[in-house]
């Protein structure tokens, strides 16, 4: 607004309120004359008083004008921000009922101002599953430290939309505590990316399952299957030998027993890889000791396994995760690292479990594709599920190091 327009507005205000100003001044002068009980005194004697009071009254109205103009400007500014904000804005009272919403929020939710009588909880559906953002007793809006969240809101047409929401609070003199929620629609591109990531993860899991089935099938066919076929042939030879020379069967019998022994060992090895019984029976530490011993015999790699702290039982989920991480890391070391020694250190504290695995092999460059691989992803995901920290470092010629830290808390082993 220009200076001329401001002056014009002020003059218009003072002219409109001139009669009120003069009337107020006269009333004050009459009151002063009555209080002083000077009825016989000439009115001309009160002209200075009249002018002084008129000046004070004019100044008073000027201050009122200035304050109202400033307040009106602020209200117009806030109203324009509210109306023209690119984000949706919802104003909720202390009962989480929607008091106001700006046009953008109305477009997002397919609602108009006449529908602003709903409770926000009727729109908020959150994400399904175990990790819900809130409950009726513990709403994320009323939390002590509101954090930006991603949630799902249901529009008036029943369509569910993913939204980013942030919350702030305001104490209004008239309405009391108000909750201001700013919402943004999750970009279509991001939704597509999340969908693609979900498809990749599902594909990786299915591929891993299929590869594991192929490996088990191959182990059964090439290992146990061939051993059983060899035993069958030996039993045929033994049967023929018994029919002709009943007393000279020691050599075929020894070979048959050896074949059966190898078959039992193959079945035991396969069973250990699928699910070691020692993990359920005697715990993580004993299961790992047995695994690294068999691993060293099979691959010729020395595993230096050390334990620090209490070697008692951990919660079942922790034991399974640590065992699978060691299994995956040592398998990768045997396949790719060309190392002769691997260090495995397990540190067990009352509230924290740490795992450190290091090989001294050729190392590799950690790429994005590698991080999305099934092996590394499965290790990292197991740690994330338990609320821990996972880190892997590797460089060409410097080997590979894996560090895992997982909180234990007050959980009991199950």
């Amino acid at each position: 607004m220009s200076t001329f327009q401001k002056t014009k507005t002020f003059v218009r205000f003072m002219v409109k309120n001139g009669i009120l100003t003069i009337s107020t001044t006269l009333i004050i002068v009459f009151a002063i004359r009555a209080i002083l009980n000077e009825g016989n005194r000439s009115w001309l004697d009160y002209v200075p008083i009249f002018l002084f009071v008129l000046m004070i009254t004019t100044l008073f109205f000027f201050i009122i004008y200035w304050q109202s103009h400033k307040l009106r400007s602020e209200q117009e500014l806030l109203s324009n921000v509210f109306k023209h904000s690119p984000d949706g804005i919802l104003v909720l009272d202390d009962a989480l009922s929607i008091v106001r919403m700006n046009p953008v929020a109305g477009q997002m939710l397919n609602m108009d101002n006449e529908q602003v009588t709903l409770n926000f909880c009727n729109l908020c559906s959150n994400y399904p599953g175990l990790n819900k953002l809130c409950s009726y007793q513990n709403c994320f809006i009323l939390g002590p430290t509101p954090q930006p969240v991603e949630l799902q809101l249901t529009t008036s047409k029943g369509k569910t939309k993913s939204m980013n929401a942030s919350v702030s609070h305001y104490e209004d003199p008239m309405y009391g505590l108000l909750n201001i929620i700013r919402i943004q629609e999750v970009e279509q591109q991001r939704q597509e990316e999340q969908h693609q990531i979900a498809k990749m993860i599902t594909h990786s899991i299915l591929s891993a399952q299929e590869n594991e089935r192929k490996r088990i099938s191959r182990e059964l066919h090439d290992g146990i299957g061939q051993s059983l076929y060899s035993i069958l042939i030996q039993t045929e030879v033994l049967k023929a030998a018994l029919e002709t020379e009943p007393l000279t069967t020691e050599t075929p019998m020894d070979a048959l027993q050896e074949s059966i022994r190898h078959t039992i060992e193959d079945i035991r090895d396969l069973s250990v890889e699928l699910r070691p019984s020692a993990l359920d029976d005697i715990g993580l530490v004993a299961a790992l000791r047995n695994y690294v011993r068999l691993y060293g015999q099979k691959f010729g790699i020395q595993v230096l396994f050390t334990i620090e702290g209490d070697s008692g039982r951990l919660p079942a989920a922790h034991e399974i995760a640590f065992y699978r991480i060691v299994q995956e890391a040592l398998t990768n070391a045997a396949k790719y690292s060309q190392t002769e020694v691997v260090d495995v250190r397990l540190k067990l504290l009352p509230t924290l479990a740490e795992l450190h695995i290091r090989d001294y092999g050729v190392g590799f460059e950690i790429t994005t594709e590698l991080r999305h691989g099934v092996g590394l992803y499965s290790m990292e995901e197991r740690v994330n599920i338990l609320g821990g920290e996972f880190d892997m470092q590797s460089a060409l010629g410097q080997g590979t190091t894996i560090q895992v830290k997982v909180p234990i808390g007050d959980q009991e082993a199950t």
Side-chain angles (χ1 to χ4, degrees), residues 88-93 96 120 133 139-151 164-170 177-183:
I89 300 176
L90 301 173
V91 182
L92 314 181
D93 59 16
L96 302 186
F120 182 78
L133 293 174
C139 179
F140 75 97
I141 297 175
L142 304 177
T145 55
Q147 298 293 332
V149 296
E150 185 173 319
L151 67 158
N164 289 322
S166 58
V167 185
S168 59
H169 305 290
Y170 170 70
L177 178 65
L178 295 178
N179 304 288
I180 315 299
I181 301 181
R182 182 174 63 89
I183 57 176

Side-chain angles (χ1 to χ4, degrees), residues 270-325:
L270 184 60
S271 174
V272 167
E273 292 214 10
L274 292 177
R275 173 72 181 187
S277 59
L279 191 61
D280 297 319
D281 298 336
I282 54 180
L284 174 65
V285 175
L288 286 179
R289 290 188 188 280
N290 186 54
Y291 177 76
V292 299
R293 178 179 59 81
L294 296 176
Y295 174 88
Q297 295 174 356
K298 182 176 181 180
F299 296 103
I301 298 176
Q302 183 181 7
V303 181
L304 303 178
F305 180 53
T306 57
I307 301 292
E308 297 181 22
D310 184 12
S311 59
R313 296 298 300 266
L314 296 177
H318 290 65
E319 293 192 341
I320 294 172
F322 276 90
Y323 185 88
R324 293 306 184 194
I325 292 171

Side-chain angles (χ1 to χ4, degrees), residues 352-409:
L352 183 69
E354 299 181 10
L355 178 65
H356 179 91
I357 305 172
R358 181 183 181 185
D359 69 57
Y360 300 88
V362 296
F364 55 90
E365 181 180 355
I366 301 177
T367 62
T368 303
E369 292 77 13
L370 181 64
R371 286 196 174 276
H372 291 161
V374 176
L376 179 57
Y377 175 81
S378 64
M379 289 192 289
E380 189 168 4
E381 186 65 15
R382 289 181 186 274
V383 176
N384 290 337
I385 290 174
L386 297 176
E389 301 175 4
F390 178 88
D391 180 66
M392 183 177 71
Q393 301 292 333
S394 185
L396 294 176
Q398 298 183 16
T400 303
T401 301
I402 294 175
Q403 291 184 324
V404 175
K405 294 182 180 180
V406 175
I408 299 176

Side-chain angles (χ1 to χ4, degrees), residues 68-109:
S68 63
H69 174 72
K70 183 178 179 182
L71 180 61
R72 186 166 55 252
S73 298
E74 292 179 354
Q75 290 176 339
E76 290 177 355
L77 177 61
L78 293 176
S79 178
N80 288 330
V81 171
F82 184 77
K83 291 180 180 179
H84 299 96
S85 172
D87 301 329
I89 300 176
L90 301 173
V91 182
L92 314 181
D93 59 16
D94 56 353
L96 302 186
S97 295
I98 301 176
V99 178
R100 288 192 64 188
M101 68 170 60
N102 68 344
V104 176
Q107 293 175 2
M108 290 180 179
L109 301 175

Side-chain angles (χ1 to χ4, degrees), residues 185-408:
E185 288 192 51
V186 176
E187 300 84 352
Q188 184 66 26
Q189 181 180 359
R190 181 179 171 188
Q191 293 187 33
E192 293 177 357
E193 290 177 354
Q194 292 177 340
H195 182 64
Q196 291 297 326
I197 291 174
K199 288 176 62 178
M200 290 174 57
I201 293 174
T202 302
H203 177 72
S204 298
I205 292 173
L206 294 176
S207 297
Q209 291 177 342
E210 189 62 28
N211 291 333
E212 187 67 11
R213 290 189 180 103
K214 288 180 180 179
R215 188 184 68 82
I216 295 173
S217 176
R218 186 170 57 251
E219 291 286 345
L220 291 174
H221 179 271
D222 297 341
I224 300 175
Q226 293 297 329
S227 296
L228 292 175
Y229 185 70
S230 175
I231 292 173
L232 178 62
I233 294 176
Q234 291 181 46
T235 55
E236 294 291 340
V237 173
L238 180 59
K239 180 180 178 181
L242 289 174
E243 290 177 352
T244 57
E245 300 179 7
L247 299 178
T248 58
T249 59
E250 292 183 0
T251 301
M253 185 64 72
D254 293 339
L256 179 60
Q257 290 177 337
E258 188 66 22
S259 296
I260 295 174
R261 188 178 296 108
H262 284 307
T263 303
I264 293 173
E265 292 177 357
D266 289 341
I267 294 175
R268 183 185 297 115
D269 293 341
L270 184 60
S271 174
V272 167
E273 292 214 10
L274 292 177
R275 173 72 181 187
S277 59
L279 191 61
D280 297 319
D281 298 336
I282 54 180
L284 174 65
V285 175
L288 286 179
R289 290 188 188 280
N290 186 54
Y291 177 76
V292 299
R293 178 179 59 81
L294 296 176
Y295 174 88
Q297 295 174 356
K298 182 176 181 180
F299 296 103
I301 298 176
Q302 183 181 7
V303 181
L304 303 178
F305 180 53
T306 57
I307 301 292
E308 297 181 22
D310 184 12
S311 59
R313 296 298 300 266
L314 296 177
H318 290 65
E319 293 192 341
I320 294 172
F322 276 90
Y323 185 88
R324 293 306 184 194
I325 292 171
V326 172
Q327 189 179 43
E328 180 69 26
L330 292 184
T331 300
N332 290 338
K335 288 181 179 179
Y336 311 114
S337 71
Q338 302 178 26
T339 185
E340 296 181 355
V341 178
V342 179
D343 291 333
V344 177
R345 184 173 74 251
L346 181 63
K347 186 176 182 180
L348 302 176
L349 302 174
T351 59
L352 183 69
E354 299 181 10
L355 178 65
H356 179 91
I357 305 172
R358 181 183 181 185
D359 69 57
Y360 300 88
V362 296
F364 55 90
E365 181 180 355
I366 301 177
T367 62
T368 303
E369 292 77 13
L370 181 64
R371 286 196 174 276
H372 291 161
V374 176
L376 179 57
Y377 175 81
S378 64
M379 289 192 289
E380 189 168 4
E381 186 65 15
R382 289 181 186 274
V383 176
N384 290 337
I385 290 174
L386 297 176
E389 301 175 4
F390 178 88
D391 180 66
M392 183 177 71
Q393 301 292 333
S394 185
L396 294 176
Q398 298 183 16
T400 303
T401 301
I402 294 175
Q403 291 184 324
V404 175
K405 294 182 180 180
V406 175
I408 299 176

